[in-house]
Structures are given as structure tokens and as C-alpha cells.
Amino acid sequence: MSIGEVLAHLRTDFPDTTISKLRFLEAEGLVEPSRTAAGYRKYSAGDLARLRYVLTAQRDHYLPLRVIREQLAARDREGAGEPAPPGGPRRTGAGEPRLRPALSFVNPRVESAAPERAEGVEGGEIRLSRAELAAHAGIGDDTLVALEQYGLVAERPGGGYDADALEVAMAAARLAEHGLEARHLRAYRAAADREIGLFSQLVAPLAHQGGPAARARAAERVRELAGYTERLHAALVRRGLRETLGR
Amino acid sequence: MSIGEVLAHLRTDFPDTTISKLRFLEAEGLVEPSRTAAGYRKYSAGDLARLRYVLTAQRDHYLPLRVIREQLAARDREGAGEPAPPGGPRRTGAGEPRLRPALSFVNPRVESAAPERAEGVEGGEIRLSRAELAAHAGIGDDTLVALEQYGLVAERPGGGYDADALEVAMAAARLAEHGLEARHLRAYRAAADREIGLFSQLVAPLAHQGGPAARARAAERVRELAGYTERLHAALVRRGLRETLGR
DNA sequence: TTGCTCCTCACGTCACGTGAGGTGGC
DNA sequence: TTGCTCCTCACGTCACGTGAGGTGGC
């Protein structure tokens, strides 16, 4: 495949790929396509898979190219029958190297005592202590520290944690069981910040009109907007999973 | 306020701010805090508001600093009673400059004939032509082009548009009424891509085991994960809006 | 005096993008 | 011959981060 054809393939999954980026990734030693007699790049299916690996690692795991290059180099060494580096990725067969999210982060002692869901909790009016939050969500203090560090959970100004903090902590605990650590959830904080920023700017004229009626209308409009973006997001994810998981 | 205090304030809304970044923004001419006799930076409440404006414009509108600087300079000129630049941002009072998303993008001729929601559409098994999609969603062809350009809507491999494409187009049409253009929805495509990438890697071992039973379990697990990330996102947005819209 | 925050200035870095000046392929 | 894709190489850019070698404040 030519560089242009590779670009077309990748664009469906990675819309901001460019020819310049593909050449850059080669210059950085992440792929080595063969060449035609005239010097044109010729990408194999393996090269394409390698590029997908690189782009995925960048997007979903925030890895810098240096680290990705080392992972690929380790995989190449293993493939050549040389000894695997200590702690390096294991082989998963003939395919691409696997990005394995670490399984850790849930504290089993606490978890056994935790309820599956917090019941009767909706308003945001509850207040939990730090220890209560951790126990209810089924997470350890180290996890709570990580969640706070990434801005996913925060104490209320008056002190204590509210129902939303609990909701976040509980979701994080379940996701952790499937290998998603607090670090992987940074993107959700960023996405929420973006959405909040957009919404509040859109309704700022209304909200700043002063009256409580205007404020209520602003809040209503935000709920409406949030509903549409939720549907948008869900549809995009459905489509992507259908394509990725086959059929 | 000292630079450290400013950092603490901004960190709640913009977690990846650093001291180095604040100094950089000053070097780039975006803020000009006064100084103490000893040379320490002294930020006013106005400086803090200005920084919030800059960080918001970066995050929610993808604006490069050069553009943000020009906007702020135009605002400063207006504030000093000099003539406003043609096409520049209007004043919105004494507060911060407003980032106004342009209202455009919905085609009113088509919209009047469009239903509010597509009914009986869930499976993903429907196929619409390009014209049908536009008419049903209530968008013009220019909008559809934009949605496709940003990867939000795509034709199925066999041709035609499915229920998810319709869902996206309809949500985009409603959001456009509130000023959100296709360009603003890029972040949703990116977020969906990240989520798809994460999910499919997490269930890859299951999905590649071969059997249809394993595939079904993989799909089930993805639905579970999607449910938790949805709750996580909703809770983060709720919290943010409560803080931003007051109370 | 210790520990902390703050300062400047030069340089490094990461991930590309651009643009000049070319050649190859149908 | 035209139009398109592709090539290299040097340099630019954008948004910071780092690190040396300091000073200020309680």
C-alpha cells in the first residue's frame, strides 16, 4: 500500500492522521515500510497494524512515542527469539502486541463489605466522610488519593463528599475490576470539563439575567443540551463498537 | 494573589495547569500581573478572570494562543474607548469577553418538514439515502458534509446511512439550535474513539477466543463498561455545572 | 538557620507542519 | 503534457518543561 492508501485506512479510526505524521513516525523509528525501486514507501499489512498500535497507544493510553517505540522494540526482540526484557510485555501470539491495562487498584478487604449500589441517593444532599466514601464505594485510600489527584473526586467546599463523589468512586471501582485505573479516567474528567465549559457559556446570557426564573430556564436548557450530547456520544460509541467488534 | 495561589484556584477547573504554564502565558503576552517590590508576581481578580478566559478558550474552542491574544487585545482596545476592529467581538458589559459560538448550520427550509424524533428506530437495520438522512434530521447538505468531514456521520460500507447516523444527525441539529456547530462536536468524536479503543482492548482476549458465546460475553461486558463510564461522566458534569451555575 | 516559595534565562522537548525543489506513474 | 501523488531536507512552530543559579519571607 502507498502512504496515501494507508492514510485513507487510518483516517476512519484516527481522523487527525496526516501524511506528515506518517513520515514523522517513520523518522522516529516506529515503522519501517519497504520501498519501491523509485523510493516510494510501500506499507505491508503488518506495518498498518503497527501504526494502528502506535496511534491507539497514543490516544487511549497517553503514551509518549519514546515509550511506544520501546514496547515495539521489545516485541521485535521477542519475535526474533531473543530473551524478553524483564517486566516487558508478554507475547500474546502472532498478532500485534497487546496493551494490557494493569489490574490493581481495588482494595478487596473493603470491597467485600461494600453494597453494590448506593440506594436512595440522588439529590446530592448527602455528606460522607472520607472513610465512609471509601467504604461505600469499595475502594482503598490509595485509590481515593489517585481519584482526587486527577480531579475526579473532590471534597465539597464545606467539607465532606456528596452523592456525585460517591457515584464517581463507585463507577471507578467497577471499572477498576476490568482494568481501568484512575489514570485511564483522566480523559473523562477532561471531557466533562469541556462539556461544562461549553454548556455554561451557551447559557451564560440567560443565567446572568439575574432572576431565579431565568436561572431555572438556564438549568433546564443545560439538561436538554446534556441529553442531546449523551445521545450523540452513545450513537458514536455504538457505531464504533459495531465496526471494531465485527459485524 | 501570588502565582501559587492563582495556580491553586485554577487547578480545580483546569487540573493540568502548572506554574511553568502561567509564566509562559505571561511571556506570551496574555496576562500582565503587577509585581511586588521584590519582583514577585501579584495577580488581581481581573488577571485571574483573564486566565480563566484563556484556558477555557483553549479547552472548549481549540483556539491557539495567538488568536486568544488577539481577542483579548481587541477587548482591551474597546475598553480604552478606541474603535473596535471590524468583525471583532462585541462588548458584553464590564465582565470578561464572551466566547460566542456562531448560530448557523441548520437549514430552515428542511427543518420545518422534519419530525422531532425518528420513531421506531433502534436496531441499526434501517438504510437511508443521503437526502433522506438530511430531511429526517432536519439539516442541510452543507451540515451533512461538515458532519462527515469530522467523522461524526459516515456511510455504511454497503452504502446508505443507518439509525446511528440518523441519531447523530438529529442530535447535531438540536445542538445547532443552541449554537453548537459541527466543529464543536469534534471532541465527541475523539472521546468516542478513545472509549471504543479502551473497551475493545479490554475485551479483546474474550472477543478473540473465537466462539460466538465468547463474542456475546464480550459484547455484554462492553455494555456494562459503557454503563459505568456513562454514570461517571454524568456525575462529573453534574458536579461541574452545580459549581459553575452557582449554588 | 531552615524550609518554602518565588525569580530569570537559556535551553530542551515533543509532536508534528511547511515549503522549497524536486521525481514517478498513468 | 497534464495532474496527481510521492520524495527529501531544512527549518519553523506550538506549548510548554527543565534546570542552573539565584533571592525573599516567615
Side-chain angles (χ1 to χ4, degrees), chain A residues 137-161:
Chain A
I139 59 175
D141 192 62
D142 49 338
T143 300
L144 186 47
V145 167
L147 289 174
E148 291 189 306
Q149 192 192 328
Y150 291 123
L152 291 158
V153 166
E155 228 175 330
R156 288 298 293 268
Y161 298 85

Side-chain angles (χ1 to χ4, degrees), chain A residues 136-199:
Chain A
H136 260 76
I139 59 175
D141 192 62
D142 49 338
T143 300
L144 186 47
V145 167
L147 289 174
E148 291 189 306
Q149 192 192 328
Y150 291 123
L152 291 158
V153 166
E155 228 175 330
R156 288 298 293 268
Y161 298 85
D162 63 14
D164 286 329
L166 178 58
E167 182 85 0
V168 169
M170 285 174 55
R174 297 300 132 234
L175 291 168
E177 291 172 6
H178 296 95
L180 286 178
E181 293 177 69
R183 178 171 52 89
H184 294 107
L185 304 181
R186 279 188 300 175
Y188 290 93
R189 166 75 209 255
D193 282 346
R194 257 194 302 272
E195 202 161 40
I196 292 156
L198 270 175
F199 289 173

Side-chain angles (χ1 to χ4, degrees), chain B residues 20 24 45 49 71 79 128 130 132 141 157 166 170 172 179 184 187 203 225 247:
Chain B
S20 155
F24 172 72
Q71 290 183 354
L128 299 171
R130 200 181 165 78
E132 286 170 336
D141 192 64
L166 178 57
M170 283 173 57
H184 294 107
V203 303
L225 289 168
R247 74 161 296 104

Side-chain angles (χ1 to χ4, degrees), chain A residues 11-15 56 59-62 98-99 101 116-117 123-125 150-154 156 162 164 167-168 170-172 174-175 178-180 184-185 187-205 207 215 218-219 221-222 224-225 228-233 235-242 244-247, chain B residues 11-15 56 59-62 98-99 101 116-117 123-125 150-154 156 162 164 167-168 170-172 174-175 178-180 184-185 187-205 207 215 218-219 221-222 224-225 228-233 235-242 244-247:
Chain A
R11 274 264 168 100
T12 60
D13 284 335
F14 307 93
T56 304
R59 193 187 59 190
D60 300 337
H61 294 263
Y62 300 95
R98 175 85 41 78
L99 287 173
E116 257 318 270
R117 277 165 195 252
E125 293 308 319
Y150 291 123
L152 291 158
V153 166
R156 288 298 293 268
D162 63 14
D164 286 329
E167 182 85 0
V168 169
M170 285 174 55
R174 297 300 132 234
L175 291 168
H178 296 95
L180 286 178
H184 294 107
L185 304 181
Y188 290 93
R189 166 75 209 255
D193 282 346
R194 257 194 302 272
E195 202 161 40
I196 292 156
L198 270 175
F199 289 173
S200 58
Q201 274 179 350
L202 289 175
V203 302
R215 291 258 297 271
R221 180 168 296 178
V222 164
E224 191 191 336
L225 289 168
Y228 287 123
T229 58
E230 202 179 292
R231 293 174 64 181
L232 175 71
H233 177 77
L236 288 172
V237 170
R238 263 200 313 275
R239 179 192 68 181
L241 288 170
R242 203 166 44 235
T244 308
L245 294 181
R247 74 162 297 105
Chain B
R11 274 260 168 102
T12 61
D13 284 335
F14 307 93
T56 304
R59 193 187 60 191
D60 300 336
H61 294 262
Y62 301 95
R98 176 85 41 76
L99 289 171
E116 256 316 270
R117 275 163 197 255
E125 293 309 320
Y150 290 123
L152 291 158
V153 166
R156 288 298 292 267
D162 64 13
D164 286 330
E167 182 85 0
V168 169
M170 283 173 57
R174 296 301 133 232
L175 291 168
H178 295 94
L180 286 177
H184 294 107
L185 304 181
Y188 290 92
R189 166 74 208 256
D193 282 345
R194 258 196 302 273
E195 201 160 41
I196 293 156
L198 270 174
F199 289 172
S200 58
Q201 273 179 351
L202 288 174
V203 303
R215 290 258 297 269
R221 179 166 299 179
V222 164
E224 192 190 336
L225 289 168
Y228 287 123
T229 58
E230 201 178 292
R231 293 174 63 182
L232 176 72
H233 176 77
L236 288 172
V237 170
R238 262 200 312 275
R239 179 193 68 182
L241 287 172
R242 205 168 41 238
T244 307
L245 294 182
R247 74 161 296 104

